[in-house]
Amino acid sequence: MKKLLIAAAALLAAPVLAQQPVKVGVVAPFSGVAADFGRQMQAGIDAFFKLHGDTFGGRKIEVLVRDTGGPNPEVAKRLAQELVTRDKVDFLAGFGFTPEALAAAPVATEAKKPMVVMNAATSIVTERSPYIVRFSMTLPQVSAPMATWAAKQGIKNVYTLVTDYAPGLDAEKQFKATFEAAGGKVVDSVRTPLRNPDFAPYVQRIKDAKPDAVFIFVPAGEQSVAFMKAFEERGLKEAGIRLIATGDLTDDDVLQSMGEPVVGVISSHHYSAAHDSPENKAFVKAFREVAKGLPRPNFMAVGGYDGMAAIAQVVAKLGNAIDGDKAMEILKHVKMTSPRGPIEIDPATRDIVQTVYIRRVQKVGGEYWNIEFDRFPAVKDPGKR
Ligand code: PHB
């Protein structure tokens, strides 16, 4: 009898084990000035579940959200460590700020857990661990097309302004390299602090230098709004100085709050909520159903959606046998139609290859949108040697 009971228990235990959820630990800011980084990623993930369900290969995907309150690299590293050791996650994901991704990279390597980057956009991020795969963009990847486009428009002299940390330096370097190779000239460059910059004095200096255009990278959100305010207050538009930027400046999350001065700003990026495709229409609709208090998806939301889509592919293929190395083999070869357009991972770099769009802010139906009007297909990260 006892033996029989044990056998019955084993039989019962098997399906229970098979139904253990797959755990994904999402590390990002969910509070503080960059709270919308995490909120956008999470809403993107939830939109994916809304459209495709949350169970793959018989296993439910469970998301564990951890708030860095960042940018805060030490906290990001500790949270990643706890997710791996205490919560036993199968995947790390999220990572809004480059310094947070860099800090967590050794945790992924040590634990052999895939780390699915949904934003952090400095070129070197993917080089910091063989377990990192990126579903966002790189600053060189979006800055080079902006430089090519600007040179083609006959813009000759550009002043650059970037935030003084790794993504900004990447943007500055690539813009200059591409723009000068195309015959333009970067007349001067300034770097502004990551925390609480006062843009007014920098913007005044740019106005006094009278370039044809100014090229900007600042992290999306609070800083984009602050920069646009200074740009307007100092009258650069009236002075005939054109504004070109990476799409972080005209972030869909805050675009409405920028008002009329943002109309006409040209930017280059991998995602606009206005992207015209059936996949994006479905995504925006699902996002609006699940997002709490967010106006529309931004590029971090699409990073969350695609990152989770890739994780779902791994879970569907490996089911009960999820293992970091096998998962990486699948992640390295992901190729799909994203709400942003066609994307694939370059297996040599584990970085994303995608279309980069040139967009102009226009008012349509009473709202501001980044309207795509030119594109550079299949752009790889030019920041990689
Ligand atoms: C980054 O830290 O990598 C980062 C943050 C915000 C952006 C882009 C890049 O808008």
Side-chain angles (χ1 to χ4, degrees), residues 37 96-99 119-122 137 139 165 167 217-220 248 299-300:
F37 284 28
F97 285 105
T98 289
N119 185 56
T122 306
M137 56 137 174
L139 265 313
Y165 80 129
F217 164 77
V218 293
D248 308 85
F299 59 100
M300 300 199 197

Side-chain angles (χ1 to χ4, degrees), residues 8-30:
L11 269 179
L12 282 174
V16 170
L17 258 182
Q19 284 162 17
Q20 286 286 311
V22 174
K23 290 186 183 175
V24 180
V26 174
V27 179
F30 285 87

Side-chain angles (χ1 to χ4, degrees), residues 73-90:
E74 298 75 28
V75 174
K77 181 171 188 178
R78 176 172 56 73
L79 293 174
Q81 191 72 61
E82 286 174 7
L83 281 164
V84 162
T85 52
R86 209 176 56 198
D87 301 302
K88 309 254 181 294
V89 296
D90 302 286

Side-chain angles (χ1 to χ4, degrees), residues 77 80-81 84 92 101-115 125-132 324-325 328 350:
K77 181 171 188 178
Q81 191 72 61
V84 162
L92 289 167
L102 296 180
V107 177
T109 307
E110 173 81 11
K112 297 191 192 300
K113 296 294 175 197
M115 175 167 154
V125 166
T126 47
E127 292 167 24
R128 291 300 170 89
S129 169
Y131 291 90
I132 293 180
D325 291 302
M328 285 311 299
R350 288 164 279 100

Side-chain angles (χ1 to χ4, degrees), residues 36-37 199 216-233 237-238 243-267 269 295-296 298-299 359-363 366-370:
D36 278 6
F37 284 28
F199 288 112
I216 307 293
F217 164 77
V218 293
E222 200 207 14
Q223 294 223 11
S224 336
V225 175
F227 176 85
M228 279 310 303
K229 197 158 173 277
F231 190 82
E232 193 207 357
E233 282 170 4
K237 201 174 188 174
E238 293 70 32
L243 178 51
I244 57 177
T246 65
D248 308 85
L249 183 69
T250 56
D251 172 14
D252 272 307
D253 192 54
V254 291
L255 195 56
Q256 296 320 307
S257 63
M258 291 178 171
E260 277 310 293
V262 80
V263 170
V265 175
I266 306 282
S267 63
H269 230 204
R296 58 170 88 144
N298 76 353
F299 59 100
R359 312 96 50 87
R360 182 184 290 107
V361 177
Q362 285 172 231
K363 199 168 192 176
E367 285 184 35
Y368 305 108
W369 296 93
N370 290 296

